[in-house]
């Protein structure tokens, strides 16, 4: 059997005749590795420390992108959408990840409300600092970064593509936007910053969902069963 990391991806591959229903499987609700829920958890102390270090007020609403920075990740659209609303609101957009296309280096320069940091070994610290994760990708697998953020109590705003459709529950643990739509990203951002209490509640639901469906221990048990049952 072929192991696939999301239900929506499996359905897409079956539809395209890449795999068959009988010879493909997905663990639980998706994700091959799951999340270490003891590592990925909200840390208020770290939130205070990092916000102080980078002179970010507790009242400032922080949008976070964490991952490789290139065109396919929808970075251009995210930047344009954010810039349309940034001057009228107390908000910040933080990028954490290696820049793979040089054009983005100049786009990050001299931006008061946009910060860029290199690759991190402690993503959980950035999730604690932020208020919502953004993942505007054009293509993606399951989107482990979304459930890692969710484990830290952070909901997500992501593109409505297969793979990511399994990572959040629409309007309960995050929001979808149309792929590549600057206007839709902008409108969702405006809704998010106008409903901060709702965002906090979504974060609580997101954490509960991860502990129930994506705990690393749960996925590991299923992986062992899968391996044992497929040994010839």
């Amino acid at each position: 059997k072929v192991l696939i990391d999301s239900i929506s991806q499996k359905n897409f591959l079956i539809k395209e005749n890449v795999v068959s229903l009988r010879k493909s499987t997905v663990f639980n609700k998706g994700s091959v590795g799951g999340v270490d829920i003891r590592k990925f958890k909200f840390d208020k102390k770290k939130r205070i420390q990092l916000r102080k270090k980078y002179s970010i007020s507790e009242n400032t609403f922080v949008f976070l992108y964490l991952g490789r920075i290139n065109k396919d990740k929808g970075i251009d659209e995210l930047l344009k959408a954010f810039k349309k609303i940034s001057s009228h609101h107390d908000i910040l957009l933080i990028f954490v990840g290696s820049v793979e296309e040089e054009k983005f280096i100049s786009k990050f320069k001299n931006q008061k409300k946009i910060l860029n940091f290199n690759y991190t070994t402690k993503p959980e610290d950035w999730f604690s600092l932020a208020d919502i994760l953004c993942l505007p990708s054009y293509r993606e697998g399951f989107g482990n970064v979304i459930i890692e953020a969710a484990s830290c109590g952070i909901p997500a705003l992501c593109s409505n593509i297969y793979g990511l459709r399994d990572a959040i529950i629409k309007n309960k643990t995050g929001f979808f936007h149309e792929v590549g739509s600057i206007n839709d990203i902008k409108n969702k951002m405006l809704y998010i910053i106008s409903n901060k209490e709702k965002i906090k509640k979504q974060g609580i639901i997101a954490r509960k969902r991860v502990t129930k469906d994506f705990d690393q221990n749960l996925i590991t048990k299923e992986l062992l069963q899968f391996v044992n049952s497929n040994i010839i």
Side-chain angles (χ1 to χ4, degrees):
K1 271 194 174 185
V2 177
L3 179 59
I4 301 169
D5 64 2
S6 76
I7 296 164
S8 57
Q9 189 173 33
K10 177 185 172 183
N11 293 338
F12 173 79
L13 293 173
I14 290 169
K15 185 182 175 184
E16 296 295 313
N17 294 315
V18 177
V19 299
S20 68
L21 178 63
R22 189 170 59 85
K23 292 189 176 182
S24 58
T25 189
V26 175
F27 290 161
N28 206 31
K29 299 291 179 68
S31 172
V32 174
V35 179
D36 182 347
I37 61 173
R38 282 147 292 279
K39 175 186 176 183
F40 288 95
K41 61 182 181 181
F42 178 72
D43 187 335
K44 190 173 183 179
K45 187 179 177 183
K46 189 60 69 173
R47 179 183 178 91
I48 293 166
Q49 283 178 351
L50 280 174
R51 284 189 172 235
K52 187 176 180 182
K53 181 178 180 180
Y54 298 114
S55 303
I56 304 168
S57 164
E58 181 53 39
N59 295 323
T60 301
F61 192 92
V62 175
F63 292 90
L64 172 71
Y65 172 88
L66 194 147
R68 295 179 295 113
I69 297 168
N70 59 46
K71 187 182 177 184
D72 284 349
K73 294 291 186 177
I75 305 300
D76 276 317
E77 291 78 11
L78 182 59
L79 282 167
K80 287 172 183 175
F82 180 80
K83 285 179 180 179
K84 284 179 180 289
I85 64 172
S86 61
S87 60
H88 305 294
H89 302 277
D90 184 8
I91 56 177
L92 195 65
L93 176 57
I94 296 178
F95 289 91
V96 179
S98 54
V99 178
E100 296 183 346
E101 293 176 26
E102 212 168 292
K103 67 172 185 175
F104 289 115
I105 296 172
S106 60
K107 289 186 179 186
F108 292 150
K109 276 185 180 177
N110 304 317
Q111 299 288 335
K112 282 187 178 181
K113 293 193 171 186
I114 299 171
L115 303 178
N116 170 232
F117 299 92
N118 210 342
Y119 174 79
T120 180
T121 56
K122 290 195 170 184
E124 65 273 18
D125 291 352
W126 291 100
F127 295 142
S128 289
L129 174 146
D131 295 295
I132 197 163
L133 177 77
C134 300
L135 189 57
S137 301
Y138 278 79
R139 56 194 64 82
E140 200 73 48
F142 175 75
N144 274 316
V145 67
I146 291 178
I147 57 171
E148 286 172 352
S151 189
C152 296
I154 304 297
L157 169 63
C158 64
S159 48
N160 191 4
I161 56 175
Y162 76 77
L164 298 189
R165 289 190 194 113
D166 303 306
I168 70 168
I169 300 173
K170 183 181 177 182
N171 300 331
K172 284 192 175 181
T173 67
F175 305 91
F176 289 115
H177 62 77
E178 293 172 28
V179 183
S181 173
I182 296 165
N183 199 47
D184 199 24
I185 296 171
K186 180 200 76 173
N187 289 338
K188 294 288 165 49
M189 283 181 153
L190 285 172
Y191 178 84
I192 286 162
I193 58 180
S194 299
N195 293 274
K196 292 176 185 175
E197 286 306 311
K198 186 177 279 188
I199 300 308
K200 286 180 182 176
K201 287 175 184 175
Q202 285 196 358
I204 293 167
I205 296 168
R207 167 71 182 181
K208 286 178 180 175
R209 179 176 182 241
V210 170
T211 56
K212 178 177 173 284
D213 294 333
F214 301 110
D215 184 351
Q216 197 174 65
N217 293 328
L218 178 73
I219 305 296
T220 302
K221 283 178 186 175
E222 291 203 19
L223 177 60
L224 287 170
Q225 288 172 1
F226 173 80
V227 171
N228 291 331
S229 64
N230 284 277
I231 292 174
I232 298 170

